[in-house]
Amino acid sequence: MTVAAAGWWARHGVHTTLVLIPALLIGLIGLGADLRSWWRRTGRSGPQAPTVMLVAAVLSLAAALIHVAVCPEHFREGTVYGLFFAVSAGCQLGWSALVLARPAGWNATTGLLGNAAIVMLWAVTRTVGIPLGPAAGDVERVGVLDLLCAGCEIGVVTLCVVAIRQHVHPWRTQRRSGYATPSSTV
């Protein structure tokens, strides 16, 4: 990103995000309404996500909105920081939409890994220092939005662990006492 583009983003980033977030939310609501209508016409009830994953999706959405809110500030600090927050917000928003629209077993694993990585990076930047970019080595202060966002992400990680533990894996079978063991075949 050039200096001129970064200057534009610094001046208009907040306005851009204030326009894009409602447009994105309206689009997602419309997509949800279309899917619900299609499921009713075809007689399907639609995929049902467990309540644990629905709460995780809401927490991920909250974390994404916080990341979007702080994007302009981070773009002013450095392009790499702004891009990180924009990509993080996009991934968290996309993951939330996937959980709501198409529940699958792998959703919990990806939510767990992605949010755990972000929380670990947050902890490193608050204790050791920023690993790269223009402010490499600087230790960030802990703020209210930081704690709120990290809390949401830790909630997603925790709920994904719960969902994984509740999931019944078809490849795991219970041992039955009727099976022959090496010592019983003598």
Side-chain angles (χ1 to χ4, degrees), residues 9 17 20-21 24-25 28 56-72 74-75 80-98 114-115 118 121 149 153 156:
W9 183 257
T17 54
L20 290 178
I21 290 173
L24 186 59
L25 289 175
L28 288 173
V58 170
L59 289 174
S60 182
L61 178 63
L65 292 176
I66 292 170
H67 282 151
V68 167
V70 298
C71 261
H74 286 90
F75 267 112
V80 68
Y81 303 144
L83 288 175
F84 171 78
F85 278 87
V87 169
S88 295
C91 289
Q92 289 173 324
L93 183 64
W95 183 81
S96 294
L98 269 176
N115 284 283
I118 292 173
L121 180 62
C149 190
E153 291 161 347
V156 171

Side-chain angles (χ1 to χ4, degrees), residues 11-183:
R11 286 189 308 269
H12 302 290
V14 172
H15 302 107
T16 304
T17 54
L18 287 175
V19 169
L20 290 178
I21 290 173
L24 186 59
L25 289 175
I26 289 169
L28 288 173
I29 290 169
L31 176 64
D34 287 347
L35 285 173
R36 231 179 26 229
S37 172
W38 177 75
W39 285 324
R40 284 186 188 144
R41 280 194 316 264
T42 59
R44 300 178 187 180
S45 63
Q48 298 295 317
T51 305
V52 171
M53 291 303 289
L54 293 176
V55 174
V58 170
L59 289 174
S60 182
L61 178 63
L65 292 176
I66 292 170
H67 282 151
V68 167
V70 298
C71 261
E73 173 187 341
H74 286 90
F75 267 112
R76 284 190 293 274
E77 292 174 1
T79 304
V80 68
Y81 303 144
L83 288 175
F84 171 78
F85 278 87
V87 169
S88 295
C91 289
Q92 289 173 324
L93 183 64
W95 183 81
S96 294
L98 269 176
V99 168
L100 296 174
R102 187 173 270 257
W106 55 267
N107 283 345
T109 305
T110 57
L112 169 75
L113 295 175
N115 284 283
I118 292 173
V119 169
M120 289 184 341
L121 180 62
W122 176 81
V124 166
T125 61
R126 286 352 182 237
T127 56
V128 178
I130 300 171
L132 56 98
D138 293 350
V139 177
E140 288 281 318
R141 293 178 314 149
V142 176
V144 174
L145 282 179
D146 294 343
L147 290 173
L148 183 61
C149 190
C152 289
E153 291 161 347
I154 290 169
V156 171
V157 169
T158 304
L159 292 171
C160 286
V161 167
V162 169
I164 290 169
R165 289 184 55 102
Q166 289 177 349
H167 184 70
V168 177
H169 298 287
W171 59 87
R172 291 185 184 167
T173 58
Q174 295 290 333
R175 292 184 182 243
R176 298 182 187 177
S177 60
Y179 286 142
T181 60
S183 63

